[in-house]
Amino acid sequence: SADARQVAVRIHDQAGGIPEEVQHRIWSYMFSTAASRADSFEHRGTPLAGYGVGLPLCRLYAHYLGGSLQLISLPGQGTLSYLHLQ
């Protein structure tokens, strides 16, 4: 049965996945696979873009809200992201 106090979101891409050699580092602050950081704001998108804080912060917020964020990556295929909130 459905629970109105919970939400689950699944996002799936087919962008090649996360390489196995870096999967253990994706939750680490300051780890990034970005090639370089552009000097202008227009190329960065946000002031924190490329600094390796996106995934760790998302997981921290999910835990703060009583949920979780999980990634399942298949190198060469894509990545499944699961966000559960309560």
Side-chain angles (χ1 to χ4, degrees):
S1 70
D3 186 343
R5 297 169 294 167
Q6 295 186 27
V7 65
V9 177
R10 181 186 76 156
I11 300 171
H12 175 214
D13 71 36
Q14 297 177 338
I18 301 167
E20 287 184 46
E21 61 269 12
V22 299
Q23 285 184 11
H24 67 284
R25 298 179 64 197
I26 62 171
W27 301 111
S28 300
Y29 287 95
M30 307 310 289
F31 172 73
S32 178
T33 59
S36 65
R37 296 182 184 113
D39 291 331
S40 67
F41 179 81
E42 294 81 21
H43 291 104
R44 290 188 307 207
T46 70
L48 295 177
Y51 285 95
V53 296
L55 281 175
L57 278 179
C58 288
R59 187 168 72 166
L60 181 66
Y61 286 136
H63 285 182
Y64 177 77
L65 295 170
S68 64
L69 174 63
Q70 300 171 336
L71 297 181
I72 299 171
S73 187
L74 300 170
Q77 300 293 314
T79 301
L80 287 161
S81 305
Y82 293 97
L83 174 65
H84 298 99
L85 300 175
Q86 299 183 36

